[in-house]
Amino acid sequence: MESELKRGFLVRQRAFLKLYLLKMIEANKRYGTQFLDDLRTEFKPYGYHPTHSEIYKTLHELTREGWVRREKKLLGEPGVDFQEIIIYHLTDKGKQEYELYRKQMKVEFDRCLGLLNQAMSDHYGPIKRK
Amino acid sequence: MESELKRGFLVRQRAFLKLYLLKMIEANKRYGTQFLDDLRTEFKPYGYHPTHSEIYKTLHELTREGWVRREKKLLGEPGVDFQEIIIYHLTDKGKQEYELYRKQMKVEFDRCLGLLNQAMSDHYGPIKRK
DNA sequence: CAATGAACACTATGTTCATTC
DNA sequence: GAATGAACATAGTGTTCATTG
């Protein structure tokens, strides 16, 4: 489960999304499409529009690794609305792994910010701050 | 030449390197391997170790687009050292394009910093600053 | 038709092999 | 052997198609 943390240039999208999905699942957010909509809304100001397949692939990966458990439900009123959705829950393992992963990602984000700030300084002069 | 600026998640390595290479070429730095060594040294603290093929591919792209001109030279003393190197120079077009590209990349870096800072805030609380 | 998932295609990037003086 | 370049392989991600109730 550490392939996404492998060093290189900047953090991979998959690792970035995994952290957000874990957070949303822990917060009892609901299902895939809702995760997607929430993320698109949040990142719209930054021109980042994740795809549905990236979200699902990440959720499947979390399931395969045993960090989350899936529960099938009906979206609306039973007998009226037959749309099935999948609710995610953190497993005990998932709770532990999330805590660790969150710490690792902090290091990774700091690294990326360092790299970008270095570039800013190299190309646009030292950072001005009052 | 704008494919690397296409919106998405974070800035692509190729675009990042292109900006650095233009800067180094403008500053009369020398040849490919030296660019590579300099960049590896600079980014070592950030765990980023670019590959030689990425550098050359970027240089070839700049050449193809007419932003730079190539000049073959011998590395050491003529008659003694036969190692050939390729020195790069900005063309007139390249000078103009570099200026524009640099501005575009500023916007892109700001966007990436925004995205990462948003994530930092979401996962590790608001940024503390005196 | 919405939600999910799989298949497929393409781009970005890294690793290995080749060449040349 | 160092510098360059090409070929090849893989990873990352997006687009399209399929399924299900």
Side-chain angles (χ1 to χ4, degrees):
Chain A
M1 199 75 174
E2 50 283 318
S3 61
E4 303 87 357
L5 290 171
K6 200 176 52 212
R7 281 318 171 74
F9 183 51
L10 296 176
V11 60
R12 295 288 133 201
Q13 178 180 207
R14 177 70 61 91
F16 185 91
L17 287 177
K18 183 180 290 182
L19 188 64
Y20 269 96
L21 289 171
L22 287 167
K23 185 187 176 72
M24 292 171 125
I25 291 167
E26 186 191 46
N28 291 308
K29 290 289 172 59
R30 298 190 293 163
Y31 54 101
T33 300
Q34 193 182 52
F35 298 149
L36 182 63
D37 291 342
D38 285 1
L39 291 170
R40 283 180 173 170
T41 300
E42 167 161 14
F43 299 127
K44 189 164 188 178
Y46 306 104
Y48 171 43
H49 186 85
T51 63
H52 86 277
S53 67
E54 238 352 80
I55 302 292
Y56 286 119
K57 276 183 275 188
T58 309
L59 289 170
H60 298 163
E61 193 174 310
L62 288 170
T63 306
R64 239 183 297 116
E65 302 281 344
W67 295 24
V68 303
R69 172 173 59 78
R70 292 156 54 99
E71 176 196 7
K72 294 193 178 182
K73 274 207 175 172
L74 291 181
L75 183 53
E77 301 302 311
V80 180
D81 185 343
F82 297 95
Q83 178 64 58
E84 214 178 39
I85 58 174
I86 292 168
I87 307 284
Y88 288 86
H89 306 271
L90 280 187
T91 61
D92 288 341
K93 179 182 181 189
K95 283 178 188 129
Q96 291 181 341
E97 297 283 6
Y98 173 34
E99 195 175 347
L100 176 61
Y101 192 69
R102 191 172 154 280
K103 282 174 189 156
Q104 292 173 325
M105 285 295 284
K106 173 74 162 56
V107 175
E108 179 65 358
F109 284 141
D110 281 334
R111 187 184 72 83
C112 294
L113 285 168
L115 197 52
L116 288 173
N117 281 323
Q118 179 73 38
M120 287 295 266
S121 164
D122 286 341
H123 298 289
Y124 311 101
I127 299 159
K128 285 138 195 141
R129 186 183 299 169
K130 295 188 186 162
Chain B
M1 198 76 173
E2 50 283 319
S3 61
E4 304 87 357
L5 291 171
K6 202 177 50 213
R7 281 319 172 75
F9 183 52
L10 296 176
V11 59
R12 296 286 133 200
Q13 179 181 202
R14 176 70 60 91
F16 185 92
L17 287 177
K18 183 181 290 182
L19 188 64
Y20 270 95
L21 289 171
L22 286 167
K23 185 186 175 73
M24 291 170 126
I25 291 167
E26 187 191 44
N28 290 309
K29 290 289 172 60
R30 299 190 293 162
Y31 54 99
T33 299
Q34 192 181 53
F35 297 150
L36 182 64
D37 291 342
D38 285 1
L39 291 170
R40 284 180 172 170
T41 300
E42 168 161 15
F43 298 129
K44 189 164 189 179
Y46 306 105
Y48 171 43
H49 187 86
T51 62
H52 87 277
S53 67
E54 236 354 79
I55 301 292
Y56 285 119
K57 276 184 276 187
T58 310
L59 288 171
H60 298 163
E61 194 174 310
L62 288 169
T63 306
R64 238 183 298 116
E65 301 283 342
W67 295 24
V68 302
R69 172 173 60 78
R70 294 155 53 100
E71 177 196 6
K72 294 192 180 185
K73 273 206 176 172
L74 291 181
L75 184 52
E77 301 302 312
V80 180
D81 185 343
F82 296 95
Q83 178 64 57
E84 214 178 39
I85 58 175
I86 293 167
I87 306 284
Y88 288 86
H89 306 272
L90 280 187
T91 62
D92 287 340
K93 179 182 182 189
K95 283 178 189 130
Q96 291 180 341
E97 297 284 5
Y98 172 35
E99 195 176 348
L100 176 60
Y101 192 68
R102 190 171 155 282
K103 282 176 188 155
Q104 291 172 326
M105 285 294 284
K106 173 73 162 56
V107 175
E108 178 66 358
F109 284 142
D110 281 334
R111 188 185 71 83
C112 293
L113 286 168
L115 197 51
L116 287 173
N117 282 322
Q118 179 72 37
M120 287 295 265
S121 164
D122 286 340
H123 298 289
Y124 312 100
I127 300 159
K128 284 140 195 140
R129 186 181 300 168
K130 297 185 188 165

